[in-house]
Amino acid sequence: MEVAKFELVSEEEYERAKKEFITANKMSIPFLPYDKLLLPKRGTKKSAGYDFFSPFSDTVDMRTPGPLSKVMIPTMVKIKFYEGCDDYFLAIYIRSSMGMKGIKLSNQVGVIDADYYNNQTNEGNIGVLLENQKHLFERATPFGFGYQIKPGDKICQGVIQKYFTAEEAEATDERTGGFGSSGN
């Protein structure tokens, strides 16, 4: 049963997110051209997760410890849930192959609510905060504890899930922003 579709963010949001990434990380990593960005897709016909791909056109080297031990990656992708599918969300998980290499999602699981789509702050651009924790269980190599994200790498996976509510007063607030906008 199809309940949603993935879309690229607009070219304006793409440019805004690129600039924000470069400013926040104090490095000029080139991104793929807008027309070369990839939408998430399942690896096999029975895969639950949709693989998200690196939007970079060059290698990002995550080093730990240090300022690049955590990297917020704008995927340049958003998800639109179809009419009547407001009780679904997209859960973002780390790929098992990355977890085995010491890379995790900093918040463990990302939850993308149906009303995140086209929000005022970032248009629903799904971001993933990756954290390099190789130093916790590996010995340093001559190159330190680096982890490289290469162009086209699968960086996380999203699983569309249904949720249920408990007996309570209905929430009436409307989403107006992006990351963390529904409260602390």
Side-chain angles (χ1 to χ4, degrees), residues 18-33:
K18 266 189 357 180
K19 185 176 181 180
E20 183 178 89
F21 177 87
I22 290 166
T23 302
N25 293 292
K26 297 176 180 61
M27 62 178 177
S28 184
I29 293 293
F31 282 72
L32 290 168

Side-chain angles (χ1 to χ4, degrees), residues 27 36-37 44 51 69 72 76 89 99 114 126 128 147 159 169:
M27 62 178 177
K36 300 290 185 202
L37 293 171
T44 69
D51 292 322
S69 63
M72 172 63 83
M76 309 302 183
F89 69 99
I126 297 169
V128 293
Y147 179 80
V159 178

Side-chain angles (χ1 to χ4, degrees), residues 37-170:
L37 293 171
L38 300 172
L39 288 175
K41 65 181 178 182
R42 297 184 310 150
T44 69
K45 64 183 179 180
K46 293 191 178 184
S47 294
Y50 288 80
D51 292 322
F52 280 70
F53 300 93
S54 166
F56 305 118
S57 64
D58 200 355
T59 300
V60 174
D61 196 6
M62 294 177 65
R63 297 244 172 239
T64 185
L68 288 181
S69 63
K70 288 185 184 182
V71 176
M72 172 63 83
I73 301 174
T75 65
M76 309 302 183
V77 171
K78 57 187 178 177
I79 187 167
K80 179 180 184 179
F81 288 92
Y82 296 144
E83 187 74 31
C85 295
D86 291 343
D87 53 352
Y88 285 84
F89 69 99
L90 179 69
I92 303 291
Y93 301 103
I94 197 65
R95 298 184 74 251
S96 56
S97 61
M98 292 178 73
M100 290 172 42
K101 297 172 186 166
I103 306 303
K104 70 174 199 139
L105 285 178
S106 196
N107 61 340
Q108 305 301 317
V109 176
V111 175
I112 311 301
D113 299 309
D115 62 353
Y116 192 69
Y117 178 78
N118 275 352
N119 69 71
Q120 295 172 5
T121 305
N122 69 1
E123 202 179 285
N125 193 350
I126 297 169
V128 293
L129 182 59
L130 297 182
E131 186 173 335
N132 185 345
Q133 293 195 327
K134 290 176 80 169
H135 66 284
L136 297 177
F137 58 91
E138 281 187 12
R139 290 182 180 216
T141 69
F143 307 104
F145 295 100
Y147 179 80
Q148 294 184 328
I149 301 171
K150 298 183 178 104
D153 277 0
K154 297 172 184 176
I155 56 172
C156 66
Q157 60 183 325
V159 178
I160 297 171
Q161 298 178 268
K162 185 174 179 60
Y163 70 90
F164 301 90
T165 56
E167 184 179 335
E168 66 172 330
E170 282 295 315

